[in-house]
Amino acid sequence: MARLTLENVTVRLPVVTNVSQRSLFSAAARTATFGRMGRASNGVGFVEPLTDISIDLKDGDRLALIGHNGAGKSTLLRTMASIVLPQSGRAFRDGDVSLLFNLGTALETEQTGRQNLDFYARYLGLSKSERLDMIEDVAEFSELGVFIDMPVRTYSSGMLVRMLFGAATASPRDILLVDEVISAGDAQFFQKAKRRAWDSFSRGRISVMASHAPEVIFDLCNKAIRLERGRIVDEGDPRAVWDRYYREKTVQPEAAAPAAESDAPASASLPAEG
Amino acid sequence: MTPTQIGMRDLRDGVLRTPLAFSLALRELQTRYSRTTLGPLWITLAQAVWIGGVAVVFSQVFHQEFKPFLYFLATGMPVWTYIATVMTEAPTVFVNSRGALEQFSAPWTVQVWKRLMVVSWIFAQHMMIWVVALLIVQPPITSYMLYALPGLAILFVTGWGAMLLLGVLGARYRDLQPALALSMNFMFVLTPVFWDPALLGEDRPIMTHFNPFYHFLEIVRGPLMSRPVAQESWTFCIVTMVLMVVLGCITFARSRRTLFNWL
């Protein structure tokens, strides 16, 4: 049985606001002078993208994350995937995860689609025959045709999205974490992707997805939470949570607009003394 | 699980996933030389041309016999290149693999194994020149040469630890990489790679005692040249190896929580 539990999780990350903070020499100088040198250039601040988050997910839970840009959705997904670890609180996970974040950052553009997919499958730890099956499956889904044997650098962005989306949904693990990818691509692909995601979500035992597209959320999720400045401000049925979120957004457009546009951290603080 | 435990588990799982690291290393080597005719042969060729050129010029400048000097160079140069590459590439191990760390839930230390395998493969290709030099020069083959094997083992294990340690530090402190690249250029001249300390007789210069790279060079080159290696060198290298591995593991495990944010 898959399970994903966060107990009072707070994530706090150091942020470099000053170049010299990344410098070994200024760190050495600070140490050597007992902090006198470089006090003025102390540029490590902290952001707290998640504050006191508690979530408990079991088999069959398909959770939607709703919220403005910068509300903490991506950080929450990364925390669930153990890419980012909490400062305090407990994150507990039982089951393998597959991730759909930032599609394409790990591509080798000089190699063919087939070779890249093979590596994708190797990362997942699939056996040789499973890898071949997966490549066939993705090739069929993404309609790449002869391009599957061409270097990835020759692909259009639409082809890339189709291939990577196909790859990420081909072999679902126990827990599937998705960040804003389904809305990419044209309308026809969108329908196809939604069907495939449905299929994949129902095989994956727990899924969590961040999305700004209400139709995706309503179709694919059975629970929702809304994040605001790194805190859970609302939870429940996806449609209800979305409606309340949407109403607030339209009632107070001037209040919501700046938050939606900036990627400002949920809450930030500079340390008083290093 | 605490962040440190996750880091420790990553170290363990990294060992279990070495087949993945191997295929990643292979892919990097393939793409590096795709669209070239000679392909990976360029690695060997570039080193061979360098060694050949230096052997011709320096044997005349230093008035040395060509053949022994060629063998000395062909034995030491691949080892030095390995050491220098580990030192200069280590700080970017994690920085350059941000995409993979974010997209796949594979252990992060797989990236360290991958880098070590790429560097080791290049080392193996460079050692082809040593084989050729062995055939040309035909030095006496002794059983003492086998001591190069433990020497190599120490070299590789230390490389793994150093990459882990410097990989984390290099992500946090971005000027570590250029600083190390600069130092390694300097150390290349200071370390007896293309000049033989044996020529200096009893007055061994200070850089053959207090130069860590000299000892690592010596534990592989010494045996291959059937020259006894000082006890001092073995002791130093083994202590450094243990230190690097322990420090690397501790630093990685302790920094695992914030590491992604530094990338």
Side-chain angles (χ1 to χ4, degrees), chain B residues 2 4 16 24 32 42 88 126 133 135 175 198 201 203 228 234-235:
Chain B
T2 65
T4 310
L16 301 176
L24 287 171
R32 196 182 288 195
W42 280 113
T88 46
H126 285 163
L135 295 174
D175 44 12
D203 307 322
W234 287 112
T235 314

Side-chain angles (χ1 to χ4, degrees), chain A residues 12 14 21-24 78 82-83 85-87 97 101-104 108 110-111 116 119 122-123, chain B residues 17 23-24 27 31 34-35 100 102-105 108 111 172-175 256-257 260-262:
Chain A
R12 175 186 276 200
Q21 202 57 45
R22 288 214 153 172
S23 158
L24 189 61
R78 282 183 182 157
S82 303
I83 293 172
L85 305 176
Q87 166 87 19
V97 281
F101 304 160
N102 285 351
L103 292 181
E108 197 68 71
E110 202 56 53
Q111 295 201 316
N116 271 294
F119 269 94
R122 277 176 201 265
Y123 258 115
Chain B
R17 296 294 299 269
S23 44
L24 287 171
R27 167 162 92 152
T31 43
S34 68
R35 297 211 277 171
E102 186 178 34
Q103 211 164 53
F104 304 107
S105 65
W108 292 11
Q111 306 300 333
R172 174 65 181 84
Y173 300 108
R174 287 304 169 88
D175 44 12
R256 175 63 175 75
R257 192 177 74 77
F260 187 78
N261 207 55
W262 297 123

